[in-house]
Amino acid sequence: MSRESKAMQDDDTANPGMLAVLDGEALWNRKVGATGRSCADCHSDAAQSMRGVATRYPAFDISSGRPIDLEERINLERTERQKAPPLRYESDDLLALSAYVARQSRGQPIAPPLDERLAPFAAAGRDFFNKRQGQLNLSCALCHDDNWGKAARRQHRAARASDRLSALPA
């Protein structure tokens, strides 16, 4: 990322993602469903009750017998506790609400629980990441392990563009 893009992300007043967080806060306080309750009615102030919550996903869900992510937890809370329809996956509302909840964990390390029930799912994910497949017999690991921490294409494209600009006559 460019220095300017990083600065924009760090400045809440300039970061366009914060618009989703503001929308999420409104959704947090909106009463919905047959119970007529909002998220805030049960969880109160998200800054306190949701602090660190987003860092603990994926988590094992006993009722489904599998791991779930933060968005799935939000929808479970909506359907079970608020008696409201689930939000469509990748919808603006679900993204906004999950961004708002995740905002309360800002700066905390991601620390999914050490839960043995997650182990088979983690192993399956690791196997898939390392599995060679397709016409070129490649795996995700072939590129991502060797290039971890690099932004190869973005860095090169930006460098080429700046080289072209500096080569233009003044």
Side-chain angles (χ1 to χ4, degrees):
M1 236 187 270
S2 71
R3 183 178 49 224
E4 294 81 12
S5 293
K6 287 180 186 178
M8 180 186 64
Q9 279 191 335
D10 291 340
D11 180 358
D12 287 350
T13 62
N15 185 343
M18 291 306 291
L19 295 172
V21 172
L22 292 173
D23 289 345
E25 183 176 18
L27 291 167
W28 178 265
N29 292 300
R30 183 177 299 150
K31 295 181 183 303
V32 296
T35 63
R37 292 190 298 190
S38 70
C39 302
D41 287 339
C42 294
H43 298 286
S44 302
D45 179 21
Q48 297 301 314
S49 65
M50 295 292 112
R51 183 166 169 72
V53 167
T55 67
R56 299 189 295 263
Y57 281 88
F60 190 82
D61 179 62
I62 294 170
S63 63
S64 67
R66 63 178 183 80
I68 61 170
D69 59 17
L70 179 60
E71 288 79 11
E72 289 172 297
R73 172 56 62 203
I74 289 169
N75 270 333
L76 283 172
E77 295 292 316
R78 283 179 59 84
T79 58
E80 293 174 6
R81 309 252 191 271
Q82 294 175 299
K83 304 298 182 209
L87 297 170
R88 190 177 45 78
Y89 188 69
E90 291 288 317
S91 67
D92 289 345
D93 284 351
L94 184 55
L95 291 172
L97 197 48
S98 61
Y100 178 68
V101 171
R103 173 69 171 85
Q104 312 315 313
S105 301
R106 187 179 194 178
Q108 295 187 354
I110 295 173
L114 297 174
D115 186 334
E116 283 301 313
R117 297 171 295 184
L118 294 172
F121 298 96
R126 190 172 29 260
D127 291 345
F128 184 77
F129 184 76
N130 290 304
K131 180 181 178 183
R132 289 176 172 262
Q133 54 190 336
Q135 189 174 11
L136 298 176
N137 196 32
L138 299 175
S139 74
C140 302
L142 288 173
C143 293
H144 290 275
D145 280 351
D146 290 342
N147 297 301
W148 182 86
K150 299 176 186 172
R153 291 187 61 201
R154 282 188 307 230
Q155 288 173 339
H156 294 304
R157 257 192 265 153
R160 284 195 301 264
S162 63
D163 290 346
R164 285 192 299 266
L165 290 174
S166 64
L168 294 174

